[in-house]
Amino acid sequence: MDWQTVVVGVLVLINVVASLAVMRSPVLSGGQRLVQLGLIWLLPLIGAVICLAFAITEARAVRDSLSPAQVSIDHGDGGFVATSPFAGDCFGGGDACGGGDGGGGGD
């Protein structure tokens, strides 16, 4: 295998990883995804690095903005508090859910 094949393979791999990161982004609209995918594939290395940097920054911002109510809490008794958007709802039963009946929400 010659060095050109290896370089092309690495570039394709980087572009695929960047494309997956863009497609999995929860905050991008369809048009924004198309623009970033175009950037990734029309400017192979530069576009991928820019879009990956954006995706990493975005993921950190989302992670840092989570409130304690949005984080799963395992109560150790089979019940747990669900994460956002249903923060406070309870699944799996146990005393943490308002009784051992397996019902949800503590109704």
Side-chain angles (χ1 to χ4, degrees):
M1 184 175 354
D2 58 349
W3 67 271
Q4 290 112 346
T5 305
V6 173
V7 169
V8 169
V10 169
L11 286 176
V12 169
L13 180 64
I14 292 169
N15 283 2
V16 168
V17 169
S19 296
L20 290 175
V22 167
M23 294 304 293
R24 294 184 65 190
S25 173
V27 298
L28 295 177
S29 69
Q32 291 170 323
R33 283 190 177 107
L34 284 176
V35 168
Q36 287 196 14
L37 289 173
L39 182 66
I40 290 168
W41 290 99
L42 293 175
L43 300 172
L45 184 60
I46 297 168
V49 169
I50 290 170
C51 292
L52 278 173
F54 178 77
I56 290 168
T57 303
E58 173 188 290
R60 285 183 183 156
V62 169
R63 181 195 66 208
D64 292 344
S65 69
L66 291 177
S67 70
Q70 295 170 309
V71 178
S72 291
I73 302 170
D74 182 1
H75 293 286
D77 63 353
F80 62 91
V81 178
T83 58
S84 180
F86 307 108
D89 287 351
C90 202
F91 305 96
D95 292 332
C97 298
D101 62 352
D107 296 342

